[in-house]
Amino acid sequence: MTMKDYRTIVVGTDGSSLAGPTVGRAAWLAKHDDANLVIVCAYARLSRRDEAKNVTTLGGDSRIGQVLGRSAAGQALSEAMIVAAAEGATVTAALLIDGEPAEALVSTATEQQADLIVMGALQDRTLVDRLLGSTSEEVVKRAGCDVLIVRPEFNEGDLEVPEDASIDL
């Protein structure tokens, strides 16, 4: 098997404490392989009616772990750009996508003809993750390219994902 350098790397960010190391790893790889780096931040924007329906049918907010609101997503993307620049990576796109993180990463990787998706994941699994599957599992199943999962280096506890003070509704 012949090993080849990556040409385009897509990395997901959510503004959590795991986002910095994840973007840092992707940026380091992009610089090392002289690859383009595409940073993606998926966020949720639901109407009040849809939000009430979601909470009622699932018994809780299904957007847990997803950035809530465009403003918070923009902040997470800005922080990721700073990390990527510090690593010396060439960022060719920084995308805010209103939607599910797995779909955003997989579709962006397809559109950008990416060779690698880099994303963070925790080992702890909630009941919702066990029933519905996690974002990382969904990406691994659906991606047409390599997927690198970055784990926290130590027990970070609960990783809080940012949300707007007043969610864009």
Side-chain angles (χ1 to χ4, degrees), residues 12-16 19 40-46 61-77 96-101 160-164 167-168:
T13 186
D14 62 6
S16 70
V40 176
C41 184
Y43 67 97
R45 180 176 54 196
L46 294 177
D61 193 344
S62 68
R63 301 170 300 170
I64 292 172
Q66 190 173 6
V67 180
L68 301 179
R70 186 175 177 88
S71 176
Q75 180 63 35
L77 201 57
L96 288 175
I97 299 176
D98 182 5
E100 294 295 322
E160 292 190 24
V161 176
E163 60 183 78
D164 288 353
I167 298 173
D168 310 345

Side-chain angles (χ1 to χ4, degrees), residues 16 26 42 47-48 70 94 98 109 117 120 129 131 158 161:
S16 70
S47 69
R48 290 186 193 276
R70 186 175 177 88
D98 182 5
I117 297 172
D129 283 347
L131 294 173
D158 290 336
V161 176

Side-chain angles (χ1 to χ4, degrees), residues 87-99:
E87 290 291 337
T90 301
V91 177
T92 56
L95 308 172
L96 288 175
I97 299 176
D98 182 5

